[in-house]
Amino acid sequence: MDFIDIIKALSEKVTRLKDSIQTEEATKNAFVMPFIAALGYDVFNPLEVIPEFVADLGIKKGEKVDYCIQKDGQPIIIVECKHWKEELNVHNSQLHRYFHVCSTRFGILTNGIIYRFYTDLEEPNKMDNKPFWEFNITDMNEAAVLELKKYQKNAFDVDQIVSAATELKYTREIKKIIASEFANPSETFVRYFAKHIHSGILTAKVMEQFTPMVKKSLHQYVSELISDRLKTALSNEAEVSVKETAPVEETKGAAASDETKTEFTELEQEAFFIVKSILRTKVSGDRLFYRDTVRYLSIVLDDNNRKPLCRLHLNGTKKYLGLMEEGNKETRVEIDTIDNIYDYSDQLMNTLLRLEKVNEKQPA
């Protein structure tokens, strides 16, 4: 079972059972322990997960954090749990005390539904007042699952997570400010636009006129942006649908221009590595290349567009894997997540073997 499927299953379980969970202890057993286990840690091995971890502070004894996750004998994450109905804000100071006496860089405060991640970005060995990341287990998107993968036992890397935490923390705060300005533009925000448009003095009356116009303009811009993206996505899907059986041709001219306008997204990168991991049992990884276009990501053998292994259509409202058949004809299959690519390992391997046979038949 892939990681994303494990998280989806846990999400469904939490949604289904939460109303029957009456205590904090039940929250731990039904929601939090399965979450820790999903990350690959053995919750029944005291060398990996220590329940009721002692976190005494000075003369105050008997202080215990609910769980301490260890790796190679060293604490890496402390987890403080509350009942799923409890508001987490009032418990922030409790985790703050535990963090101060534990030799770990990460703390999690959770009620089994909301998970808040903390570290010490602002001052060494002192937990930040605000979490650098937060998610709701019942409302997980693919980006959140990819971020959560960094905390798996086999992938845990302190330096990598701290680096990502810095960006997560500040982008989160920036988005909050943007949301606040959209809902109720501040005078400073309105003044920025007004001074670029109004040639006279920005009196109180002028500012009063500009405030609703700025708010309206923001909402109109976002609406138009979403509308344009939807139109583009639908247009791309329609175009691909018409050409899905067309033979693959080498990228030239306008197509090459398209490539310069694309971005090799994180989702495409992970999909490429999935295909690479499937095929590396039969072929060296340095023979696998990708070609990024506006409409799809093509994975090819030997850096040759005439040797396509598959296509990945990940930019539309739906995701597709394009499987290549004889004559380089593409057959698309819809996938819910990029992890579904593993379901087509046999077809991808057969395409690779077919292209290798073609290579053998060609004269030296």
Side-chain angles (χ1 to χ4, degrees), residues 1 7 39 101 108 201 220 244 256 261 291 335 345:
M1 198 173 187
I7 296 301
L39 295 177
V101 296
I108 299 176
I201 299 174
Q220 284 182 347
E244 64 179 345
K261 301 175 184 177
R291 291 286 182 273
I335 55 177
S345 298

Coordinates of all heavy atoms in Angstrom, one line a residue, residues 1 7 39 101 108 201 220 244 256 261 291 335 345:
M1 N 0.9 -1.2 0.0 CA 0.0 0.0 0.0 C 0.9 1.2 0.0 O 1.8 1.4 0.8 CB -0.9 0.0 1.2 CG -2.1 0.9 1.1 SD -3.2 0.7 2.5 CE -4.6 1.7 2.1
I7 N -2.5 7.3 4.0 CA -3.0 8.6 4.6 C -4.4 8.8 4.2 O -5.2 9.2 5.1 CB -2.1 9.8 4.1 CG1 -0.7 9.7 4.5 CG2 -2.7 11.1 4.5 CD1 -0.5 9.6 6.1
L39 N 3.9 6.8 9.3 CA 5.2 7.4 9.0 C 6.3 6.3 9.0 O 7.5 6.7 8.7 CB 5.6 8.5 9.9 CG 4.6 9.8 9.8 CD1 5.0 10.8 10.9 CD2 4.6 10.4 8.4
V101 N 13.2 21.2 27.0 CA 14.1 20.3 27.7 C 14.4 19.0 26.9 O 15.1 18.2 27.4 CB 13.4 19.9 29.1 CG1 13.3 21.1 30.0 CG2 12.0 19.3 28.9
I108 N 5.2 18.3 17.5 CA 3.9 18.3 16.9 C 2.8 18.4 18.0 O 2.8 17.7 19.0 CB 3.7 16.9 16.1 CG1 4.7 16.8 15.0 CG2 2.2 16.9 15.6 CD1 4.6 15.4 14.3
I201 N -3.4 64.8 -4.3 CA -3.1 64.5 -2.9 C -4.1 63.4 -2.5 O -5.3 63.4 -2.8 CB -3.2 65.7 -2.0 CG1 -2.2 66.8 -2.4 CG2 -3.0 65.3 -0.5 CD1 -2.4 68.1 -1.7
Q220 N -12.0 40.5 -8.7 CA -12.2 40.4 -10.2 C -11.0 39.7 -10.8 O -11.1 38.8 -11.7 CB -12.5 41.7 -10.8 CG -13.9 42.2 -10.6 CD -14.2 43.5 -11.3 OE1 -13.3 44.2 -11.8 NE2 -15.5 43.9 -11.3
E244 N -4.9 11.8 -29.1 CA -4.4 10.7 -28.3 C -3.9 9.5 -29.0 O -3.1 8.7 -28.5 CB -5.4 10.3 -27.2 CG -6.7 9.7 -27.8 CD -7.6 9.3 -26.7 OE1 -7.2 9.3 -25.5 OE2 -8.8 9.1 -27.0
A256 N 9.3 23.1 -29.8 CA 10.5 23.4 -29.0 C 10.4 24.7 -28.3 O 10.8 24.9 -27.2 CB 11.8 23.5 -29.9
K261 N 8.7 27.4 -22.4 CA 7.7 28.1 -21.6 C 7.2 27.3 -20.5 O 6.4 27.7 -19.7 CB 6.6 28.6 -22.5 CG 6.9 29.5 -23.7 CD 5.7 29.7 -24.5 CE 6.1 30.5 -25.8 NZ 4.9 30.7 -26.6
R291 N 11.0 15.1 -21.6 CA 10.8 16.3 -22.4 C 9.5 17.0 -21.9 O 8.4 16.4 -22.0 CB 10.6 15.9 -23.9 CG 11.9 15.3 -24.6 CD 12.8 16.4 -24.9 NE 14.0 15.9 -25.6 CZ 15.1 15.5 -24.9 NH1 15.1 15.5 -23.6 NH2 16.1 15.0 -25.6
I335 N -5.6 8.6 -14.0 CA -5.0 8.2 -12.7 C -5.5 9.2 -11.7 O -5.6 10.4 -12.0 CB -3.5 8.1 -12.7 CG1 -2.9 9.4 -13.2 CG2 -3.0 6.9 -13.6 CD1 -1.3 9.5 -13.2
S345 N 3.2 -0.8 -14.1 CA 4.6 -1.1 -14.2 C 4.8 -2.1 -15.4 O 5.8 -2.0 -16.1 CB 5.1 -1.7 -12.9 OG 5.0 -0.8 -11.9

